[in-house]
Amino acid sequence: EVLELLDAAGGQIKTVGVEELRGTETTHYRATLDVEEYAQGLTPAEREELGPLAEQLQAGLVEVPVDIWLDADGLVRRVSMEVASTEQGQEGSASVTFELWDYGEDVEVDLPPADEVVDASALRS
């Protein structure tokens, strides 16, 4: 499903190779997402669900390189993206990498106190 999503978003998917992550054999894929094509494919409900992010996706972004590692069961084990954009004459960039492991394991989460969290929508300018 992940590779189908990348393909639908205009990314030509290339197999980089086989790599071990946290003791699990994975296949490393690379794609470049066409942000405009992805945004055009969103239904009105999906745009509404994304809220302001739908517009921000198109704010100077053209292509987003994505690397993804999937295990033999098709589970995502790592995702890495780099984003660079220019909006109102200002350039910016960000990168994010995250890993997923221990699928099926029980999870215990300790929530932080209410005075240590903020509604991220309040950060919009």
Side-chain angles (χ1 to χ4, degrees):
E1 290 178 11
V2 173
L3 295 178
E4 288 173 8
L5 174 65
L6 290 174
D7 186 52
Q12 293 197 347
I13 303 165
K14 298 176 184 174
T15 303
V16 176
V18 175
E19 299 174 27
E20 189 173 305
L21 295 176
R22 297 182 181 263
T24 301
E25 187 174 285
T26 65
T27 303
H28 178 182
Y29 299 94
R30 180 168 292 140
T32 301
L33 301 181
D34 182 320
V35 176
E36 186 175 337
E37 185 173 331
Y38 171 73
Q40 288 175 355
L42 293 175
T43 66
E46 290 169 331
R47 283 183 182 276
E48 186 174 323
E49 190 174 300
L50 286 174
L53 182 59
E55 288 79 38
Q56 291 174 5
L57 278 174
Q58 297 177 72
L61 297 177
V62 177
E63 296 180 338
V64 177
V66 177
D67 285 82
I68 190 162
W69 290 256
L70 302 178
D71 68 14
D73 294 324
L75 296 174
V76 176
R77 294 299 181 145
R78 178 186 286 164
V79 175
S80 182
M81 295 182 278
E82 292 188 35
V83 178
S85 71
T86 303
E87 185 176 358
Q88 299 176 352
Q90 299 212 2
E91 293 182 17
S93 65
S95 64
V96 63
T97 299
F98 62 90
E99 291 188 11
L100 303 156
W101 64 92
D102 290 342
Y103 282 96
E105 297 292 322
D106 290 334
V107 176
E108 185 177 317
V109 177
D110 294 323
L111 297 176
D115 64 344
E116 293 182 14
V117 298
V118 65
D119 180 351
S121 66
L123 301 175
R124 285 187 249 151
S125 51

